[in-house]
Amino acid sequence: MGLCASAESDTKGADVESVLTQEAKKLDNEVKLLLLGAGESGKSTIAKQIKILHLKGFTGEERASYKAVIFANVISSMRALILAANELGIEIQPSAKPAAERISAETEECFSGELTQELAQAIKILWAETGIREVCGRSAEFQLNDSAIYFFENIDKLSKPGYVPDEQDILRSRSKTTGIVEFEFDIENVHFRLVDVGGQRSERKKWMHCFQDVTAVLFCVALSEYDLKLYEDDTTNRMHESLKLFKEICNNKWFIDTAMILFLNKRDIFENKIKRVDLRICFPSYTGGCNYDAAVKFITDQFISQNANSRKSIFPHATCATDTSNITHVFRSVQEVVMKNAIAEDFAL
């Protein structure tokens, strides 16, 4: 009986050994992409695009689950505008005040109800109000979701009975990433693992758990954040925070030989903003005026200059995370960089 138990134990041990060997081989042949960046940089939107492009998109059940996120985005965004109007001393017309009171009555920190016709009508009234539009134009002075205008202008669609979010709605939706989210997919017989981690300061202590065996870091920075403050402390400039964070990541001992790909994201918002707001508000040494190309080059140079390793190359891309065709093109470039680096490493060995 003891011999039988021993044989059974040996068999189980061999099975475990076989599984571990297979997993080790899988890791050797795997391309691990680590998505990093400060909060609000668009990392999770990039991850959603990868799901659309390489994992057959979102199921009906997943689409339906985003309704709650989108409805919360709509209500919280309008509530932010109403609150900012009070703080900035901008008058809301008497005819729109009942609508403002209706939205303000939703006192939950994160709205979790349905977007009823009554709420949708209140949103429409307020979005047509000149005072609210004026406040929206001063959104650098408070915290406002980038997708607020998109959702306000699509309020009729969002409030229709039986509404199911489409891909663009999902890409525009915003919820704080907590913990570690992974996607696995295959492209041309190459297995990829994309790891997305929360960018808020409170989430960054979890990053270290993901630093091993990384093939490439995809670092996201929002171009449009140059005149905005952090959600976390409302005093630190977001672009300055991203620069500091990129310097730490780029020169980290774990990433000495790791490909570093810089996503200069939200270029669509930046292209509109730079016409009105000079980059000097963030970088006093900038002299390129309100010119998109000059400003993008200056920001790119600022990030590349953070690299202290002369042997490391930074691969910058201006991106719009909500534009699937743009991300398709950029991700092809990422694949090329990753595969070239992998081949170079093989030759070095």
Side-chain angles (χ1 to χ4, degrees):
M1 194 169 175
L3 288 173
C4 288
S6 177
E8 185 180 344
S9 177
D10 288 347
T11 302
K12 285 182 178 177
D15 288 343
V16 170
E17 188 75 27
S18 175
V19 169
L20 289 173
T21 301
Q22 288 173 13
E23 285 299 309
K25 285 181 179 176
K26 181 181 173 184
L27 285 171
D28 282 343
N29 297 320
E30 179 179 85
V31 171
K32 181 178 176 182
L33 305 175
L34 183 58
L35 259 176
L36 297 178
E40 312 303 317
S41 60
K43 293 186 292 72
S44 296
T45 309
I46 298 285
K48 289 175 190 173
Q49 288 284 19
I50 298 303
K51 185 172 174 62
I52 290 169
L53 293 169
H54 301 294
L55 288 168
K56 299 180 181 178
F58 297 90
T59 65
E61 187 177 345
E62 287 171 330
R63 285 174 185 265
S65 72
Y66 274 95
K67 280 175 63 175
V69 176
I70 291 166
F71 293 167
N73 287 171
V74 173
I75 298 300
S76 64
S77 294
M78 186 53 78
R79 204 160 49 192
L81 289 173
I82 295 166
L83 183 61
N86 292 331
E87 292 178 348
L88 296 172
I90 295 173
E91 185 70 24
I92 294 175
Q93 294 300 313
S95 59
K97 283 188 176 177
E101 289 167 4
R102 178 66 188 89
I103 298 299
S104 298
E106 299 297 331
T107 55
E108 290 179 81
E109 186 175 342
C110 185
F111 177 77
S112 58
E114 284 291 315
L115 187 60
T116 63
Q117 289 299 315
E118 180 194 8
L119 285 171
Q121 185 60 27
I123 295 288
K124 287 172 72 173
I125 290 169
L126 287 164
W127 187 232
E129 208 277 324
T130 55
I132 289 293
R133 293 282 183 142
E134 183 183 346
V135 174
C136 192
R138 294 175 60 178
S139 59
E141 298 175 49
F142 58 97
Q143 304 292 348
L144 183 67
N145 189 333
D146 284 332
S147 296
I149 295 174
Y150 171 84
F151 287 134
F152 295 156
E153 293 186 345
N154 284 278
I155 195 68
D156 286 335
K157 178 181 80 170
L158 305 184
S159 59
K160 276 184 181 177
Y163 161 71
V164 177
D166 58 27
E167 285 181 350
Q168 192 58 213
D169 297 340
I170 292 170
L171 290 170
R172 300 273 186 169
S173 69
R174 172 75 186 106
S175 59
K176 181 182 173 182
T177 302
T178 56
I180 300 166
V181 181
E182 295 190 12
F183 296 105
E184 293 189 49
F185 53 97
D186 295 295
I187 304 174
E188 297 173 2
N189 299 318
V190 178
H191 186 73
F192 287 80
R193 181 192 298 269
L194 181 73
V195 182
D196 177 24
V197 290
Q200 305 283 351
R201 285 176 174 174
S202 59
E203 294 293 313
R204 293 177 201 166
K205 57 183 179 290
K206 302 171 187 174
W207 289 10
M208 276 292 287
H209 303 299
C210 310
F211 282 5
Q212 277 189 308
D213 304 313
V214 173
T215 313
V217 171
L218 311 182
F219 190 94
C220 291
V221 53
L223 283 169
S224 57
E225 69 187 3
Y226 66 97
D227 66 335
L228 302 178
K229 301 292 191 293
L230 291 181
Y231 266 98
E232 295 95 312
D233 65 12
D234 209 30
T235 57
T236 304
N237 179 280
R238 290 193 196 179
M239 184 69 77
H240 293 168
E241 176 86 352
S242 288
L243 271 169
K244 179 184 173 185
L245 190 56
F246 182 74
K247 183 176 183 178
E248 292 173 7
I249 295 300
C250 186
N251 300 303
N252 190 289
K253 64 180 181 180
W254 287 97
F255 304 132
I256 291 172
D257 299 313
T258 303
M260 195 68 55
I261 298 159
L262 179 64
F263 282 0
L264 298 161
N265 198 25
K266 303 190 182 182
R267 69 176 194 186
D268 53 330
I269 301 172
F270 178 75
E271 191 168 6
N272 286 321
K273 182 180 283 189
I274 196 64
K275 296 171 186 174
R276 301 175 285 105
V277 184
D278 198 300
L279 191 60
R280 290 186 67 184
I281 196 171
C282 179
F283 300 109
S285 62
Y286 172 72
T287 57
C290 293
N291 179 279
Y292 172 83
D293 292 328
V296 170
K297 184 182 184 307
F298 186 90
I299 293 171
T300 303
D301 290 344
Q302 293 301 303
F303 277 88
I304 290 176
S305 70
Q306 305 305 310
N307 176 23
N309 182 354
S310 59
R311 294 182 293 110
K312 182 194 285 287
S313 295
I314 311 296
F315 302 92
H317 296 275
T319 60
C320 173
T322 57
D323 182 344
T324 302
S325 61
N326 173 244
I327 298 304
T328 301
H329 171 74
V330 169
F331 199 73
R332 284 201 196 103
S333 299
V334 170
Q335 287 171 244
E336 289 175 18
V337 168
V338 166
M339 299 317 294
K340 282 177 183 175
N341 271 38
I343 292 167
E345 284 181 18
D346 286 344
F347 274 109
L349 294 172

